[in-house]
């Protein structure tokens, strides 16, 4: 049985950062990922990472912008920690080798980003996530004696001991199909978000909410699951992301009449209002007939100097050319709001601890909550690094003071039995996995998106519950052991359906409009009744609802205007 | 919407059968990708069709494959364009049965695990680790950031743009001949550190890569990796930068004779306009074209070791005419052509241009 003090599941930014932090404490660390670490979705974060590092800037300003961006649902103690620790973490990454953009003096340079009162976004062209992640992977290779890498190992369940503490995970080695029980004193879930529940989405095919679902099944609480970010600038149909950095560099949003419509919605910040505000503005323009016939509005990057575009938005030049056939330096590109980010997730404290002892969560899988109802651009990379590091350090400390508890083989046998039963389903015994996934994605995008109401969410929930039943008899074609992606897709579908159900239940419950949750039947924010988190825990009949307080330190809720 | 046929090279390791071709009919918009086509076939027809993929947007580097024989990313190759290329190839190549179809194969230069999935660990990642792929600064880190030239960061951002997809490795002709060649991806990664002003072991890295018999001088300038790279990293350019930097650091005595060989080549063309193969071997070991004869440290050994290659060239017909066998009688270019060559040299020396898309952009490169 592979045994480690700290086991990290997922090897994007949060997971790799957690593994390195735990290794620094001198404990034995394993990092397990269903794909090779550099394939992780942190790659896709283009624009940058926020920190109040400039002399004129302050952590308080960064914290306030984040709180306002969250529509006051973010927990202010956690946000303070993130904003205070950001500068040191950026410098740490710079020292490790991240090739951050420099200003003329050779110092770290910044760009503007949405919802921020100062230019405090540090970046590497428009490949910031990729650059940081590859540098972290360099460090994992460097520290291979302290951190064992399990690349292309898929987790199917957490192991919980008799005391209710997490003591390991069940995995499948993708390369040969063997099942393995891992033992660990602390387990950190850093498996990313659940974007694949929606179609289209900017998220990669691997973003199937694995960590959120595994924690939920193990009894951990989830929080803010209704808060799903729709990014304002994605390509219609395909869902590809156009970085907010484009607007940070000065690009305009135009409707079909050529109007810079943000004047009407956010006269001060214009295109750089927070994402929920911009996405709603775009969707309103489209719904009221001022969009293009393909259901889009336009992003005009031609107003940004060409030299600057090549230097700072090169990836977007490629996306435009390869995936939309548009030269963004010459003509506007059609975009629309698209599913992008999971603000909610596994409820944790500021050290990544969940309700299950020994179980941690970090990054998009977790909900600390620093993003509340709406995440600001360039705060997600920061979240992964700060809370990845804190989780790793705390998980290591716990491992040092805890005796190992060997996970029971029963959990391994149960997982093997589930897999055997999926494998044994005859062709035609039910629907195809891909059909169910397709119906799930289009349903959620139609009914649990930028604008929501009770009827729509209820219909979506009904569909999700029917699909959960249908998934039980869905069949797969591949019966082999080596790289059986068909089987993994069936397991991922189960994860996605749990995520979808929780999102619908929470969205139905929150009878107000706040951040990314806009209820057309309850269009106002209602602090009196709903300035609180919705927590969900697995019960006999699915998710059971409870509430928890929003932590307010020094910023009282006020009306949000951009 | 249009219909396409994808002819996929399949291999199911547990079947006991060898690799085989299978055709899938798919229907999708021409602007969608070959990967979209494969996923449609997987979703609708056969879930056992295996391909690594994740982002669908040419950023995660999972779906390296060969399409119509060309290494690249499945998600970045539009299916309509792939079909056009298949038709173009069919019209010039030997006539095949039926209508031309898009062929899809696993990457080359790597063992195949299943269908389009290859073993990148043994052929790619092991070589990445070979180049000590982490920053090696000296002394304590500064209190704030390292202060560096802004251009230096943009310069290495081109190699940072590498997504480790392996397309360059798959296309590399040198690696086909020498599987131990460190290869385009790992050498591009090496440049990311050599070009990084924060790294303190530049000279040690360069010495290592120049002296390795499978290092920077194993590249034959074929441009395959530049063509294959989906991210504009231009690995070959990074290898050439490593060579230039090595010389700048005074590393011109590599036992591979790589530096002398390239220097001999450059001078030969400057003087004669075309390659005097008979003289090249000798010149590579003892430069004499300009001024005094300067034998390299390993000249005698190198010349003796070159003999089999020379004999093979004569035997196979590569060097048959007297000008290709007898050193020195190779003619110069006629008329003023040699002056044109010299003018090109002068221009190149005065305007050293780097092919860096973060500086130049796509447009200037094509115009």
């Amino acid at each position: 049985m592979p045994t480690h003090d700290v086991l990290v599941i997922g090897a994007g930014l949060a997971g790799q950062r957690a593994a390195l932090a735990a290794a620094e404490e001198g404990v034995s660390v394993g990092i397990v990922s269903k794909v090779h670490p550099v394939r992780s979705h942190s790659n896709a974060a283009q624009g940058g990472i926020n920190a109040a590092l400039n002399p004129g800037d302050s952590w308080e300003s960064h914290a306030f912008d984040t709180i306002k961006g969250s529509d006051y649902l973010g927990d202010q103690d956690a946000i303070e920690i993130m904003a205070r620790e950001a500068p040191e973490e950026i410098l740490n990454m710079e020292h490790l080798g991240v090739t951050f953009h420099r200003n003329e003096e050779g110092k770290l340079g910044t760009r503007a980003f949405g919802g921020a009162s100062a230019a405090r976004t540090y970046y590497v062209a428009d490949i910031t996530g990729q650059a940081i992640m590859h540098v972290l992977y360099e460090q994992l290779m460097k520290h291979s004696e302290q951190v064992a890498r399990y690349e292309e190992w898929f987790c199917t369940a957490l192991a919980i001991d008799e005391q209710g503490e997490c003591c390991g995970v069940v995995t499948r080695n993708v390369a040969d199909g063997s099942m393995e029980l891992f033992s660990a004193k602390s387990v950190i879930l850093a498996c990313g978000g659940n974007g694949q529940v929606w179609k289209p989405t900017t998220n990669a095919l691997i973003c199937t909410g694995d960590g959120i679902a595994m924690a939920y099944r193990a009894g951990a609480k989830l929080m803010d699951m209704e808060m799903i970010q729709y990014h304002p600038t994605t390509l219609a149909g395909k869902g590809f992301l156009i970085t907010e950095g484009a607007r940070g560099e000065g690009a305009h949003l135009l409707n079909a009449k050529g109007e810079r419509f943000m004047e009407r919605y956010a006269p001060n910040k214009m295109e750089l209002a927070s994402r929920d505000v911009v996405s709603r503005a775009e969707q309103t323009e489209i719904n009221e007939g001022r969009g293009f016939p393909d259901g889009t509005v336009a992003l005009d990057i031609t107003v940004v100097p060409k030299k600057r575009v090549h230097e700072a938005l090169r990836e977007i030049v490629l996306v435009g050319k390869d995936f939309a056939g548009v030269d963004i330096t010459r003509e506007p590109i059609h975009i629309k709001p698209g599913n992008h980010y999971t603000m909610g997730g596994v409820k944790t404290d500021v050290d990544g601890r969940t309700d299950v002892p020994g179980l941690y969560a970090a990054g998009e899988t977790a909900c600390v909550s620093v993003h509340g109802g709406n995440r600001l651009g360039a705060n997600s990379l920061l979240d992964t690094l700060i809370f990845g590091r804190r989780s790793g350090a705390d998980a290591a400390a716990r491992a040092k003071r805890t005796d190992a508890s060997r996970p029971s083989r029963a959990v391994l046998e149960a997982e093997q039995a589930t897999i055997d039963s999926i494998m044994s389903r005859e062709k035609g015994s039910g629907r195809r996995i891909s059909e169910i996934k397709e119906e799930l994605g289009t349903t959620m995008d139609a009914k649990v998106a930028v604008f929501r109401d009770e009827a729509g969410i209820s219909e979506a929930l009904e569909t999700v519950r029917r699909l959960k039943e249908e998934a039980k008899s869905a069949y797969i074609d591949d019966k082999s052991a080596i790289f059986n992606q068909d089987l993994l897709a069936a397991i991922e579908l189960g994860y996605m359906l749990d995520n979808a159900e929780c999102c619908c239940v929470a969205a139905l419950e929150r009878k107000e409009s706040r951040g990314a949750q806009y209820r057309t039947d309850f269009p106002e924010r209602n602090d009196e009744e709903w300035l609180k988190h919705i927590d969900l825990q697995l019960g006999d009949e699915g998710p059971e609802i409870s509430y928890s307080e929003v932590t307010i330190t020094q910023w009282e809720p006020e009306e949000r205007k951009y | 919407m249009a219909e396409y046929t994808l002819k996929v090279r399949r291999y199911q390791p547990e079947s006991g059968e060898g690799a085989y071709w299978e055709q899938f009919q798919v229907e999708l918009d021409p602007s969608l990708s070959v990967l979209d086509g494969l996923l449609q076939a997987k979703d609708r027809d056969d879930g056992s069709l295996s391909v690594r993929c994740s982002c669908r947007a040419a950023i995660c580097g999972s779906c390296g494959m060969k399409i119509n024989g060309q290494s690249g990313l499945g998600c970045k190759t539009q299916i309509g364009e792939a079909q056009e290329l298949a038709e173009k190839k069919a019209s010039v190549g030997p006539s095949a049965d039926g209508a031309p179809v898009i062929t899809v194969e696993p990457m080359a230069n790597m063992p195949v695990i299943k269908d389009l999935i290859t073993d990148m660990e043994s052929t790619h990642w092991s070589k990445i680790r070979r180049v000590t792929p982490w920053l090696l600064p000296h002394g304590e880190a500064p209190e704030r950031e390292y202060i560096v030239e802004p251009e230096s960061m943009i310069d290495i951002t081109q190699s940072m743009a590498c997504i480790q997809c392996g397309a360059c490795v798959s296309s590399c002709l040198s690696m086909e001949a020498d599987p131990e060649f460190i290869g385009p991806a790992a050498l591009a990664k090496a440049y990311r550190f050599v070009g990084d002003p924060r790294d303190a072991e530049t000279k040690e890295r360069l010495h290592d890569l120049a002296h390795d018999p499978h290092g920077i001088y194993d590249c034959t300038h074929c441009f395959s990796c530049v063509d294959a790279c989906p991210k504009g990293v231009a690995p070959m350019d990074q290898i050439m930068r490593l060579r230039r930097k090595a010389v700048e650091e005074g590393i011109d005595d590599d036992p591979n004779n790589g530096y002398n060989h390239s220097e001999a080549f450059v001078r030969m063309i400057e003087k004669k306009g075309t390659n005097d193969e008979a003289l090249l071997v000798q010149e590579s070991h003892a430069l004499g074209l300009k001024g005094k004869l300067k034998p390299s440290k390993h000249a005698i050994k190198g010349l003796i070791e070159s003999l089999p290659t020379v004999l093979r060239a004569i035997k196979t017909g590569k060097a048959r005419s007297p000008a290709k066998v007898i050193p020195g009688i190779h003619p110069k270019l006629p008329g003023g052509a040699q002056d044109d060559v010299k003018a090109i040299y002068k221009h190149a020396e005065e305007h050293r241009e780097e092919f860096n898309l973060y500086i130049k952009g796509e447009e200037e490169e094509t115009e």
Side-chain angles (χ1 to χ4, degrees):
Chain A
M1 185 183 305
T3 301
H4 294 282
D5 291 320
V6 175
L7 194 63
V8 184
I9 317 299
L13 278 189
Q16 294 196 37
R17 187 68 189 89
L20 289 167
E24 257 174 57
E25 301 295 320
V27 299
S28 111
V29 183
I31 185 164
V32 178
S33 172
K34 66 178 177 178
V35 292
H36 187 284
V38 305
R39 313 293 176 220
S40 304
H41 190 56
S42 307
N43 260 339
Q46 298 166 340
I49 178 164
N50 287 333
L53 187 57
N54 277 333
D57 204 355
S58 71
W59 72 263
E60 289 94 340
S61 167
H62 181 188
F64 173 70
D65 290 343
T66 303
I67 291 161
K68 181 180 172 188
S70 81
D71 219 348
Y72 294 90
L73 189 64
D75 286 312
Q76 298 185 4
D77 56 339
I79 292 170
E80 283 191 17
I81 287 173
M82 183 170 83
R84 276 175 194 267
E85 295 183 358
E88 199 187 324
E89 190 61 28
I90 300 283
L91 292 174
N92 183 20
M93 288 300 122
E94 198 278 327
H95 294 158
L96 288 181
V98 176
T99 54
F100 283 117
H101 175 84
R102 307 292 159 143
N103 61 23
E104 280 169 9
E105 297 165 35
K107 296 178 178 165
L108 296 177
T110 54
R111 67 161 43 128
F113 238 64
S117 45
R120 65 167 74 95
T121 303
Y122 295 87
Y123 64 99
V124 180
D126 52 0
I127 56 168
T128 313
Q130 176 191 337
I132 299 177
M133 194 165 74
H134 282 246
V135 167
L136 285 183
Y137 189 67
E138 290 166 11
Q139 294 299 311
L140 280 190
M141 291 190 279
K142 180 179 177 184
H143 296 289
S144 59
E145 282 179 20
Q146 292 87 42
V147 185
R149 302 193 303 273
Y150 300 90
E151 296 168 351
E152 298 188 318
W153 289 62
F154 185 99
C155 291
T156 67
L158 298 169
I160 307 292
D161 68 14
E162 284 164 2
Q163 285 75 46
E165 300 190 6
C166 185
C167 59
V169 297
V170 181
T171 61
R172 179 180 171 92
N173 183 350
V174 178
D176 64 11
S178 61
M179 298 292 287
E180 190 80 71
L181 187 58
F182 280 65
S183 165
K185 295 177 186 173
S186 309
V187 173
I188 302 174
L189 293 169
C191 314
N194 61 23
Q196 280 294 316
V197 171
W198 283 259
K199 188 182 176 177
T201 173
T202 62
N203 283 203
L205 295 165
I206 55 175
C207 301
T208 48
D210 304 11
I212 296 173
M214 278 190 283
Y216 171 66
R217 292 173 187 181
K221 273 187 183 158
L222 308 182
M223 187 165 85
D224 298 349
M225 285 297 287
E226 69 279 23
M227 296 303 181
I228 298 295
Q229 181 164 80
Y230 267 60
H231 192 288
T233 52
T234 71
L235 290 186
K238 303 176 189 179
F240 292 143
L241 176 67
I242 307 286
T243 176
E244 185 167 301
R247 282 171 287 140
E249 300 291 344
H252 296 168
L253 287 169
L254 306 173
N255 64 18
K257 293 168 157 176
E259 296 167 336
R260 240 184 120 184
F261 57 85
M262 283 311 296
E263 280 168 1
R264 292 199 294 276
Y265 303 89
N268 298 318
K269 296 296 285 185
M270 297 292 286
E271 282 84 358
L272 290 177
S274 71
R275 287 178 177 175
D276 57 329
V277 172
V278 180
S279 282
R280 268 196 297 281
E282 290 176 3
Q283 197 62 51
T284 305
E285 292 295 305
I286 294 162
N287 292 353
E288 294 180 358
R290 293 186 293 277
F292 294 95
D294 59 347
T296 61
V297 290
L299 177 69
D300 184 6
I301 307 175
T302 63
V303 295
V304 181
K306 235 178 213 190
K307 180 175 178 291
R308 186 65 189 152
V309 172
H310 289 312
E311 174 183 292
L313 298 171
R314 161 131 186 85
E315 197 60 38
I316 301 310
V317 176
L318 290 178
V319 168
K321 183 170 135 274
D322 295 328
F323 299 110
V326 172
D327 178 353
I328 59 155
T329 64
R330 290 168 189 269
E331 54 179 323
I333 187 166
H334 286 199
I335 50 86
K336 61 177 288 195
N339 173 280
H340 183 59
Y341 188 83
T342 315
M343 264 84 68
V346 185
K347 182 184 174 83
T348 72
D349 67 9
V350 296
D351 290 313
R353 288 182 285 219
T354 71
D355 290 332
V356 176
L359 182 64
Y360 293 75
E364 202 172 340
T365 298
C367 180
V368 186
S369 147
V370 285
H371 308 305
N374 172 68
R375 173 174 70 75
L376 291 191
N379 264 354
S380 64
L381 291 184
L382 183 61
D383 171 15
T384 63
L385 294 178
I386 299 293
F387 294 102
R389 175 174 53 72
R390 293 178 67 95
S391 301
D394 200 82
R398 177 190 150 86
K400 283 182 189 171
R401 62 172 188 263
T402 313
D403 291 327
S405 141
R406 280 180 80 80
S408 148
R409 291 197 69 81
V411 58
L412 176 70
E413 282 153 19
E415 288 305 303
Q416 185 64 59
T418 306
I419 286 172
D420 291 345
S421 98
I422 295 171
M423 296 277 237
S424 67
R425 289 175 206 156
E426 293 291 323
K427 189 165 184 153
S429 64
R431 298 179 76 186
R432 291 182 76 78
I433 302 290
S434 53
E435 280 172 23
I436 299 178
K437 190 182 165 189
E438 173 81 21
E439 190 181 347
L440 172 67
T442 48
T443 302
M444 294 297 283
D445 190 57
K447 299 186 174 9
V448 196
V450 176
F451 292 111
R452 309 165 171 183
D453 63 21
E454 184 178 337
I457 305 167
S458 303
E459 279 167 36
L461 182 57
E462 209 173 296
T463 303
V464 169
R465 289 188 166 148
R466 170 171 53 78
L467 295 176
K468 277 184 99 161
E469 282 305 309
E470 290 174 356
K472 290 177 185 164
S473 60
Y475 70 93
I476 58 174
D477 299 324
D478 196 341
K479 311 286 183 187
S480 70
I482 296 171
F483 272 90
N484 189 335
Q485 300 176 318
D486 219 8
L487 170 70
L488 302 185
I491 300 170
E492 288 173 336
L493 177 66
Y495 292 152
M496 286 191 278
L497 288 165
D498 280 354
N499 277 267
E501 184 181 21
C502 290
C503 175
C504 290
V505 166
L508 206 52
E509 177 67 9
R510 184 174 289 281
K511 292 173 182 62
E512 65 153 355
S513 290
R514 181 186 300 270
Q517 157 101 342
Y518 191 93
R519 289 278 300 257
T520 52
D521 43 355
F522 299 97
E524 300 296 325
R525 193 175 89 189
N526 178 353
D527 285 345
E528 215 150 279
E529 285 178 74
W530 288 106
L531 184 62
K532 59 187 177 190
H533 298 290
I534 296 174
D535 297 349
L536 298 176
Q537 196 166 21
L538 179 62
D540 296 334
E541 306 284 317
E544 283 175 3
I545 297 169
S546 57
Y547 307 99
S548 54
E549 292 298 308
V550 173
T551 308
I552 308 270
T553 56
Q554 49 174 303
W555 292 279
E556 285 302 320
E558 49 187 64
E559 195 192 350
R560 203 161 63 126
K561 276 201 176 126
Y562 284 103
Chain B
M1 285 286 197
E3 281 180 28
Y4 300 95
T5 302
L6 293 172
K7 185 180 168 193
V8 184
R9 183 78 171 163
R10 301 203 62 184
Y11 171 61
Q12 295 280 317
E14 291 157 74
S15 67
E17 307 286 323
Y20 60 98
W21 291 97
E22 185 172 358
Q23 298 203 350
F24 294 95
Q25 313 299 327
V26 294
E27 194 185 359
L28 64 170
D29 191 272
S31 73
L32 292 176
S33 69
V34 170
L35 176 67
D36 288 323
L38 289 166
L39 290 179
Q40 189 183 98
K42 184 181 173 80
D43 282 349
R44 293 184 185 172
D45 303 327
D46 184 355
S48 75
L49 177 61
S50 301
V51 52
R52 282 196 190 99
C53 57
S54 182
C55 74
R56 304 158 297 135
I59 185 78
C60 78
S62 300
C63 66
M65 58 183 73
K66 279 171 78 177
I67 299 163
N68 296 319
Q70 183 99 26
S71 299
L73 291 179
C75 71
K76 196 171 180 281
T77 309
Q78 290 186 358
I79 198 161
E81 285 177 6
Q83 180 65 31
E84 278 170 32
L85 184 65
E87 282 163 15
K88 211 161 125 194
K89 280 195 164 182
S91 68
V92 295
S95 64
D97 305 330
V101 296
I102 301 165
T103 60
V104 182
E105 297 165 83
M107 287 193 283
N109 289 334
M110 301 177 198
V112 177
I113 295 174
K114 180 183 183 183
D115 292 344
L116 300 173
I117 296 174
T118 58
D119 172 14
M120 287 189 68
E121 169 54 31
S122 64
T123 47
H124 175 80
W125 289 108
S126 61
K127 288 175 178 174
I128 294 287
R129 293 195 292 274
R130 158 71 186 79
V131 302
T132 319
W134 47 82
L135 196 72
L136 294 169
H138 278 184
E140 286 284 302
E143 199 169 305
R144 297 260 313 188
E145 67 270 38
Y146 287 95
I147 309 288
V148 297
E149 288 291 320
E151 291 75 22
S152 66
M153 285 293 132
I154 296 178
D155 175 49
I156 53 174
T157 295
Q158 187 179 19
S159 51
M160 280 303 296
C162 171
I163 56 174
Q164 312 292 348
C165 67
C168 59
V169 173
S170 169
S171 75
C172 179
L173 296 177
S174 290
M175 201 173 264
E176 213 175 303
D178 173 15
E180 287 183 70
F181 176 34
I182 294 174
L187 289 172
K189 183 81 176 172
Y191 183 75
R192 170 253 179 286
F193 300 103
V194 165
D196 194 324
R198 297 169 295 183
D199 194 275
E201 305 212 357
T202 309
K203 192 165 182 182
E204 292 80 354
R205 289 177 186 274
L206 288 166
H207 186 274
D208 171 38
L209 296 172
H211 280 242
D212 190 311
H214 314 286
I216 49 177
Y217 291 109
D218 229 2
C219 167
T220 60
H221 265 112
C222 76
F223 280 82
S224 291
C225 60
V226 178
D227 277 349
C229 178
K231 305 303 289 187
V233 173
M236 188 192 84
D237 275 32
Q238 312 302 334
I239 298 172
M240 295 311 131
R241 286 169 167 181
L242 289 171
R243 288 189 187 177
R244 282 201 294 276
K245 291 243 179 197
V247 177
E248 280 167 22
E249 293 282 348
I251 303 164
D252 56 7
D253 60 342
D254 62 280
N256 310 306
N257 212 38
Y259 166 70
N260 287 316
H261 180 69
S262 64
E263 190 68 2
F265 209 98
V266 169
R267 293 197 191 175
M268 168 115 47
I269 303 298
E270 186 177 15
K271 195 158 186 204
K272 298 198 168 184
T274 54
N275 181 15
D276 182 348
E277 295 210 37
L279 200 55
L280 186 63
V281 178
Q282 173 195 319
E283 285 291 325
S284 297
H285 292 284
L287 275 181
L289 272 175
K290 268 189 179 174
K292 259 172 95 179
L293 199 67
K294 278 200 303 186
S296 74
K297 229 172 19 183
H298 319 280
I300 306 284
K301 185 168 165 274
L303 279 168
I304 292 168
E305 279 174 2
S306 301
L307 268 178
T309 311
V310 173
L311 292 174
R312 205 160 53 238
I314 295 169
K315 201 175 148 198
T316 57
K318 184 168 189 270
R320 190 162 280 162
S321 67
K324 287 194 171 182
V325 183
I326 304 164
I329 65 165
H330 184 82
K332 280 190 181 185
L333 286 177
Q338 194 55 38
D339 293 334
D340 293 343
V341 171
K342 288 204 166 128
I344 293 169
Y345 269 65
K346 190 159 175 273
H347 180 87
E349 264 162 38
E350 285 166 6
H351 314 83
R352 171 133 274 166
E353 287 191 24
E354 296 288 359
F355 175 74
N356 186 333
L357 300 176
Y358 284 92
I359 299 168
K360 292 173 65 82
E362 198 89 2
E363 195 176 1
E364 283 79 356
E365 161 214 344
T366 49
E367 272 174 14

